[in-house]
Amino acid sequence: MQNQEVIGDLVKNIEKVIIGKREAIDLAVITLLSEGHLLIEDVPGVGKTTLANAISKSIDCGFNRIQFTPDTMPSDITGVSVYNMQTGQFEFTPGAIMNHIILADEVNRTSPKTQASLLEAMEERQISVDGKTYPLPTPFMVIATQNPIDYLGTYNLPEAQLDRFLMKLSIGYPSMADEKRMADYYIRQSPIKSLEAVTDGKTISAMQEEVKTVKIHQDLISYIIEIIDETRKDTNITLGASPRAILALIRASQAAAYYNRRDYCIPDDILKVIQPVIRHRLILSPESRLNKLTAEMVLDKIIARFRVPILPVGCS
């Protein structure tokens, strides 16, 4: 796995513009290595857009920002066929989705019909317009931002769309010390404009393929399946995690191991990513919400019911 040394350079580069948020950066990079998509739910101004832009600049890939509003149309995302008067033919005009890193900004401010235009791109890495299929570039990643659901003028993302995001996370406010560092840094310069690439898209694609070769023991796979199955039985949960969640958790665990320069998974890899991979896929019962339970709290209780596998010596 010759490309792993790139990870450290990538993380350090992103940290130049996202100060004091190492865990969020780690999870974003793991999502990228997993060929997954990332949903960030947070208040405005904490660096969601900057994170997406920093990733694209660091890997020397194209970046498009789509500002979702109530009047955004699906054709704005996927593109449209336009009749050319000179040639007498319809010609495809690509939409904003045709790039490597896509920032779907405030995705829950647009209509469900427009939200749904992202589904094929996220799952199949292609779009269909007027019966023709167009492949998307590689690597490809959607980073969607979402306002908290109690904000006015928002639409809850449907379960089918949430299930297509590998991870959901929150960046949160920085500490006072980190805010002071950020202020001092930004007074002198605009770091995002001067950020240089530390790798390229071809290398990232190769790393994504290497992640798929990371070994994961059958005991760990059984552990994952047991936890996911329990989310479907727990009385606090109305809708448990899907089979896609099992595959997502396995891939994210492989990427977490790769991130830590191992070619095999250990239980800590699963425990690192299980919350951001699973919590947004759970729908709590009305009684649980009345009791002020959160998906994180319920999932923690489920995880605690199962013994963490102890792998045989020399087994990976």
Side-chain angles (χ1 to χ4, degrees), residues 66-77 110-111 113-114:
I66 308 171
Q67 179 61 58
F68 283 88
T69 60
D71 60 352
T72 302
M73 300 296 293
S75 58
D76 298 329
I77 312 302
T110 196
S111 68
K113 181 177 181 180
T114 303

Side-chain angles (χ1 to χ4, degrees), residues 1-2 4-5 7 30 33 207 210-216 220 252-273 311 315-316:
M1 298 196 174
Q2 55 187 358
Q4 284 178 310
E5 64 273 8
I7 294 174
I30 288 172
L33 294 173
M207 294 167 71
E210 288 183 340
V211 164
K212 297 174 185 177
T213 67
V214 172
K215 296 182 286 293
I216 180 165
L220 295 181
S253 300
Q254 289 176 300
Y258 185 88
Y259 183 93
N260 288 292
R261 303 195 175 203
R262 279 182 277 102
D263 64 354
Y264 59 92
C265 288
I266 61 175
D268 284 351
D269 298 322
I270 299 172
L271 296 176
K272 178 178 178 63
V273 299
L311 302 182
C315 190
S316 59

Side-chain angles (χ1 to χ4, degrees), residues 10 14 22-34 36 38 40 51-52 55 141 143 166-167 169 259:
L10 179 59
I14 298 173
R22 179 60 182 266
E23 183 178 3
I25 294 172
D26 289 347
L27 292 173
V29 172
I30 288 172
T31 302
L32 175 66
L33 294 173
S34 303
L38 181 65
I40 306 175
L51 175 61
I55 290 174
M141 180 183 186
I143 301 177
L166 183 85
M167 290 192 193
L169 58 86
Y259 183 93

Side-chain angles (χ1 to χ4, degrees), residues 38-226:
L38 181 65
L39 176 62
I40 306 175
E41 181 178 277
D42 224 322
V43 296
V46 293
K48 303 185 293 292
T49 301
T50 302
L51 175 61
N53 203 355
I55 290 174
S56 68
K57 282 180 174 288
S58 297
I59 65 176
D60 196 24
C61 281
F63 171 76
N64 275 344
R65 177 179 179 271
I66 308 171
Q67 179 61 58
F68 283 88
T69 60
D71 60 352
T72 302
M73 300 296 293
S75 58
D76 298 329
I77 312 302
T78 60
V80 64
S81 294
V82 179
Y83 185 72
N84 188 322
M85 296 286 289
Q86 294 180 337
T87 63
Q89 301 287 331
F90 281 94
E91 297 178 356
F92 175 62
T93 301
I97 199 72
M98 298 293 284
N99 218 326
H100 296 277
I101 306 296
I102 305 299
L103 175 66
D105 207 8
E106 296 186 308
V107 67
N108 62 331
R109 285 203 177 276
T110 196
S111 68
K113 181 177 181 180
T114 303
Q115 289 175 10
S117 66
L118 289 170
L119 293 179
E120 182 184 15
M122 293 173 68
E123 185 70 19
E124 306 295 336
R125 310 295 168 121
Q126 65 182 32
I127 57 170
S128 298
V129 178
D130 294 334
K132 293 184 179 180
T133 299
Y134 302 90
L136 294 170
T138 55
F140 174 74
M141 180 183 186
V142 172
I143 301 177
T145 71
Q146 173 173 273
N147 292 321
I149 59 174
D150 56 342
Y151 277 25
L152 294 175
T154 60
Y155 302 82
N156 290 346
L157 292 179
E159 292 79 11
Q161 182 132 11
L162 285 172
D163 203 32
R164 282 167 170 80
F165 286 101
L166 183 85
M167 290 192 193
K168 177 185 176 183
L169 58 86
S170 173
I171 296 177
Y173 292 116
S175 66
M176 290 183 66
D178 288 330
E179 282 191 304
K180 179 65 166 61
R181 287 175 54 211
M182 179 185 68
D184 292 341
Y185 195 17
Y186 274 77
I187 285 172
R188 297 192 304 270
Q189 59 184 313
S190 178
I192 192 65
K193 292 183 179 179
S194 59
L195 201 65
E196 297 182 355
V198 296
T199 185
D200 55 32
K202 183 177 180 181
T203 301
I204 293 297
S205 294
M207 294 167 71
Q208 291 171 339
E209 291 302 313
E210 288 183 340
V211 164
K212 297 174 185 177
T213 67
V214 172
K215 296 182 286 293
I216 180 165
H217 194 272
Q218 286 298 316
D219 288 352
L220 295 181
I221 294 177
S222 297
Y223 175 65
I224 288 172
I225 293 173
E226 287 173 346

